[in-house]
Amino acid sequence: MKTTAAPAETALDVTAVRRDFPLLAREANGHPLVYLDSANTTQKPEAVIRASDRFYREQNANIHRSTYRLSEEATAAYEGARETVRRFVNARSTREIVFTRGTTESINLLATSFGQAYVKAGDEILITGMEHHSGIVPWQLLCERTGAKLRVIPLDDRGDLILDDLGRLLTERTKLVGVVHVSNALGTINPVRALIGYAHGKGVPVLLDGAQSIPHLGVDVQALDCDFLAFSGHKVYGPTGIGVLYGKESWLSKMPPYQGGGDMIASVSFVKTTYAELPAKFEAGTGNLAGAVALGAALDYVTALGLPRIAAHEKDLLSYATARLSEVPGLRIIGTAREKASVVSFVLGDIHPHDVGTILDQEGICIRTGHHCAQPVMTRYDLPATARASFGLYNTREEVDALAAGLRKVLEVFGA
């Protein structure tokens, strides 16, 4: 689905990769750090750290506003990062790449701007039952403002979407379909190509939430033909506070601005304001300039390693982890979809996931526990929370073994 620099048949040299991530060399609670929380946020390679550092040391100035050389260099770095994003997702034009603070802001931008232009009382927004909160709440707010309704595609016990009723759920009143590509709580890889095709057959645009798919699968927006794509930099080895909304130019050009302020205008008077061309129309004020530049470095890093090699490595880790954790007495994996990314959510007998996470932390093992900002998913499985191990390109089988051993220690502590 995605063109990358490195071939899939060459295995990822994880030992070398780990040397690129300085934080992975530290200890935690007297143990080697085992970081298994990349679905939450990824660690950062030297290339990203250096790009951010270099911007502030050598290029820092505001962009688009001044004619002096330093500002021109900063502008070039920022717009160069936009071109890197365009290339990474295979957009037609940088006019289709809007920098935001992250997935959440990208979806809020879309819900506000698209909603203002196209959604009215009685209309419907269709999402899935495995959205995280950022894929739910902005649409609920839109529905409250407009009188539109939110409809939901349910999921089965394995964590696959139930698409049998799609014809009933997606109607002539549906204005937009929002679908998460990869579930952060279950690891499910959704059949987005088929969903997009079906929605387009009804004339309905589709937002793809790529927060969890961008680092594992990549997204080719032209191949998938999604109308919008949202993702965050920090999930793909880049900085926090920077993200992207991709939108087809045909849609973005017709949508009103999201926020008003500097850099998003063509002219301002007390009588009337006209707006800048894309994508500046949606980038009011001074954005996260260093963050954008460092995001570009992160995408270059991932591209150089090769998404096919990364995917193959993570598939092996998922398979190995699923087998090893299934050997732990009382452990039940939540989410066994036919197609999964490298996420393993689980419960361990009657032990609360927070206790599991606390004891693992004493062993230097970092996992996430809780509802994963996806409370409707927890409700679907009648659980308050799960423990979740999520793997990135730098994880190893030995770290999976450490997790399995840590979970057996949890059982010992609880006498289970």
Side-chain angles (χ1 to χ4, degrees), residues 356-398:
V356 173
T358 298
I359 294 172
L360 290 177
D361 176 57
Q362 293 169 3
E363 302 297 309
I365 301 168
C366 307
I367 65 167
R368 184 171 177 185
T369 60
H371 53 62
H372 315 299
C373 297
Q375 285 182 310
V377 175
M378 299 298 110
T379 300
R380 168 63 181 78
Y381 291 94
D382 195 24
L383 295 168
T386 69
R388 183 190 70 187
S390 55
F391 307 101
L393 54 85
Y394 35 57
N395 290 122
T396 66
R397 283 191 170 203
E398 288 74 19

Side-chain angles (χ1 to χ4, degrees), residues 166-203:
L166 191 56
R168 178 179 59 82
L169 292 168
L170 201 159
T171 73
E172 69 278 1
R173 294 186 296 274
T174 306
K175 293 301 178 184
L176 184 133
V177 175
V179 56
V180 64
H181 197 171
V182 172
S183 164
N184 69 322
L186 303 171
T188 304
I189 301 175
N190 282 316
V192 296
R193 187 184 297 272
L195 273 169
I196 292 167
Y198 187 86
H200 284 179
K202 303 286 186 181

Side-chain angles (χ1 to χ4, degrees), residues 223-238:
L224 287 178
D225 197 26
C226 58
D227 301 275
F228 303 98
L229 167 72
F231 70 92
S232 297
H234 72 105
K235 308 280 193 189
V236 63
Y237 309 100

Side-chain angles (χ1 to χ4, degrees), residues 9-49:
E9 58 269 21
T10 307
L12 196 66
D13 184 350
V14 181
T15 301
V17 166
R18 289 179 66 84
R19 288 196 291 268
D20 293 338
F21 291 80
L23 188 140
L24 297 180
R26 63 160 287 179
E27 292 187 343
N29 291 322
H31 298 275
L33 178 72
V34 176
Y35 187 78
L36 303 176
D37 196 19
S38 290
N40 201 353
T41 194
T42 55
Q43 297 304 332
K44 316 307 173 194
E46 285 280 7
V48 170
I49 297 169

Side-chain angles (χ1 to χ4, degrees), residues 263-327:
D263 216 27
M264 52 76 70
I265 57 89
S267 67
V268 176
S269 74
F270 289 114
V271 177
K272 182 177 176 60
T273 294
T274 59
Y275 305 116
E277 297 293 321
L278 293 173
K281 182 173 74 171
F282 294 107
E283 294 182 358
T286 299
N288 184 355
L289 310 182
V293 172
L295 171 59
L299 299 183
D300 282 340
Y301 179 82
V302 170
T303 300
L305 290 181
L307 275 165
R309 292 201 304 173
I310 294 169
H313 171 66
E314 293 175 346
K315 184 177 181 180
D316 174 74
L317 282 178
L318 175 65
S319 176
Y320 186 70
T322 301
R324 293 287 284 122
L325 298 190
S326 296
E327 297 169 352

